Amino acid sequence: MYILGIETSCDETAAAIVEDGTRVLSSCIASAAASFAGSGGVIPEDAARAQLECILPTIQSALNQSRLTIQDLSAIAVTAGPGLLGSLLVGTCTARALAHAWQLPVIPVHHTLGHLSSTWLDSHDKLPIFPILTLSVSGGHTELWLRRSHTDQELLGTTLDDAAGEAFDKGAKLLGLGYPGGPLLARLAERNQRQPLLPLPVSRIAGSFNFSFSGLKTALLYHIREHGSEETAWLAASYQSAICTQLTRRVEDALGEHTDVREVHVVGGVSANGALRAAIDALCAARGVQCRYPMRIEYCTDNAAMIAGAAYWIPAGPEVPFVTFASGSLAEKGR
Ligand code: KG4
Ligand code: ZN
């Protein structure tokens, strides 16, 4: 089954073709991120305008690279939410128009479900095994899921304030770096020579798997106000370490409670972070649990392959409820 995926929830315009939820035949992304580097964040109106211009060429590239024809496609999957309204409209309207013209069904996909499915991409040699503990960390959300199948999952914890990626971006801004700040802060942290690191607060919310990053950001702000930001590499490494420690501890807590978990997955933009991967790798090695990240860095950040992949695992038919999540149906919210 070949599914064309379309993802336009933020500043990317992405199209991809995936076979049977795993084999990526093409994955094309046009990003407007560079044009927002000076503004410190995405300007929604500008993002949607850029997407209108590049959505059809991006879909055409995905088709060309896959060497398939329109007749080979089984469905069009599209991110239906959450995201920037104008951007989502560009993707969903394009998907509907093409589906009408090409006589294909449209599968609306919740953006988070896309990230949760990203570890299946290119994993056909060794498919993941449930139950899986998935830490989904991006600019928009920070969630810990216990997944028993593609359609049965429980939200164990979420952030009470900033998302992990947002914390990276805000910390980067305080250190005078550009946008998106996560990769820039990570690169700066690699240059740090000073030990020990600056101790920064690592939140722990008693009796829950929830996260909180706003205190950490404020602590960095106060430190910079008092001591200046001269040793930026040291500050970046300290700040990154505090984020990674909180994320890893929560996974550790959940593994302690859910001892039948077979695999730990980390997905979303922040799963590209090397320090986080090192900490999760060490934890999983100590616990004897398999850990996985998306097979390619471009499957960590927003992409359309994860949307096409997720759609394959969603039960077909309008009468079958999509995936029911603890906080409501992702599919319903997506619609
Ligand atoms: O999943 P994603 O592309 O978009 C959302 O759905 O939000 O995640 C983007 C987020 C941004 O906050 C970005 O700074 C962060 O992921 N990010 C990173 C790294 N690469 C991307 N954060 C830390 N280290 C990285 N290497
Ligand atoms: Zn995302």
Side-chain angles (χ1 to χ4, degrees):
M1 190 168 172
Y2 300 112
I3 298 183
L4 166 68
I6 297 174
E7 150 69 41
T8 60
S9 64
C10 191
D11 55 355
E12 279 92 5
T13 307
I17 295 176
V18 177
E19 182 183 359
D20 296 342
T22 57
R23 224 175 268 271
V24 181
L25 302 191
S26 62
S27 180
C28 302
I29 303 182
S31 174
S35 62
F36 299 124
S39 56
V42 177
I43 300 166
E45 180 83 18
D46 291 354
R49 281 179 203 279
Q51 282 160 328
L52 261 185
E53 275 176 34
C54 53
I55 183 117
L56 290 178
T58 307
I59 292 171
Q60 186 66 60
S61 299
L63 267 170
N64 294 349
Q65 281 181 27
S66 73
R67 299 182 184 277
L68 297 182
T69 65
I70 292 159
Q71 286 72 33
D72 296 317
L73 298 177
S74 311
I76 301 180
V78 62
T79 305
L84 303 174
L85 199 59
S87 297
L88 289 168
L89 275 171
V90 173
T92 52
C93 289
T94 305
R96 282 178 195 196
L98 291 180
H100 185 72
W102 298 345
Q103 308 237 303
L104 290 170
V106 175
I107 307 174
V109 176
H110 193 286
H111 184 77
T112 299
L113 189 59
H115 279 300
L116 296 190
S117 308
S118 62
T119 32
W120 269 260
L121 299 175
D122 289 344
S123 75
H124 34 271
D125 290 339
K126 193 166 175 259
L127 286 174
I129 302 169
F130 292 103
I132 297 166
L133 190 63
T134 307
L135 175 68
S136 182
V137 272
S138 77
H141 64 267
T142 300
E143 295 171 348
L144 190 60
W145 291 94
L146 178 61
R147 310 192 73 204
R148 300 205 174 277
S149 74
H150 281 290
T151 54
D152 174 9
Q153 40 231 326
E154 186 188 340
L155 181 62
L156 299 180
T158 184
T159 183
L160 302 178
D161 37 61
D162 293 343
E166 198 179 354
F168 267 105
D169 294 338
K170 286 180 176 174
K173 203 169 181 179
L174 289 173
L175 292 172
L177 306 172
Y179 173 86
L184 297 173
L185 191 143
R187 225 168 294 146
L188 179 61
E190 273 172 27
R191 300 217 308 262
N192 176 48
Q193 305 283 348
R194 180 171 167 188
Q195 294 291 342
L197 296 176
L198 174 71
L200 288 167
V202 176
S203 298
R204 181 161 235 154
I205 295 108
S208 87
F209 294 112
N210 288 334
F211 306 84
S212 168
F213 296 101
S214 64
L216 169 63
K217 176 195 62 197
T218 310
L220 178 64
L221 173 70
Y222 286 166
H223 181 89
I224 290 173
R225 268 194 202 156
E226 254 180 63
H227 305 279
S229 62
E230 270 173 19
E231 281 187 276
T232 48
W234 180 60
L235 293 177
S238 307
Y239 188 80
Q240 172 175 264
S241 166
I243 294 176
C244 296
T245 301
Q246 186 179 164
L247 295 172
T248 310
R249 276 193 195 155
R250 218 59 90 247
V251 172
E252 188 175 16
D253 294 346
L255 280 177
E257 196 157 303
H258 300 281
T259 49
D260 60 335
V261 163
R262 301 280 302 271
E263 298 193 8
V264 169
H265 292 193
V266 187
V267 301
V270 180
S271 69
N273 186 272
L276 177 62
R277 288 184 176 210
I280 297 282
D281 283 348
L283 169 67
C284 290
R287 295 291 181 123
V289 178
Q290 158 95 39
C291 78
R292 280 187 203 244
Y293 310 94
M295 294 288 263
R296 299 166 67 122
I297 291 292
E298 52 266 44
Y299 302 156
C300 296
T301 45
D302 289 348
N303 66 89
M306 68 183 194
I307 301 303
Y312 176 78
W313 308 108
I314 292 174
E319 71 289 354
V320 182
F322 278 9
V323 184
T324 306
F325 276 63
S327 52
S329 160
L330 276 188
E332 273 167 29
K333 281 202 255 165
R335 276 173 209 259

